[in-house]
Amino acid sequence: MFCGDPGTSGYTACAAQTQLFSLASAIPALLGLVLLVAAFAAPGVRDDRTLRTRTLSYSLIAWVIAAGTYVIGGLPSF
């Protein structure tokens, strides 16, 4: 998506870099998903308002890191 047409010079290297950063962004995205589920499903977290707020905040931070990593992977190809 960021690399242009498949026949252009440097497309293969750009696509490989984008795939690497996509994979790297999956780790914080999965962490964010786990924290989001834990905030609403785990009884200990669900009952404590402060802990639930903190868990949701960490989930949001993980999603921001995942999105930032994905975007950074595509920036050098512009």
Side-chain angles (χ1 to χ4, degrees):
M1 135 170 119
F2 295 118
C3 298
D5 295 326
T8 60
S9 171
Y11 176 81
T12 306
C14 176
Q17 178 183 350
T18 303
Q19 284 180 333
L20 178 67
F21 275 88
S22 295
L23 181 64
S25 70
I27 296 167
L30 288 175
L31 174 64
L33 180 65
V34 167
L35 288 172
L36 182 69
V37 169
F40 293 107
V45 179
R46 189 176 50 209
D47 296 338
D48 187 0
R49 181 185 223 69
T50 305
L51 184 58
R52 183 177 45 191
T53 302
R54 200 176 292 164
T55 304
L56 288 172
S57 299
Y58 291 148
S59 175
L60 180 63
I61 291 169
W63 281 105
V64 168
I65 291 171
T69 304
Y70 185 74
V71 169
I72 287 172
L75 285 178
S77 63
F78 285 125

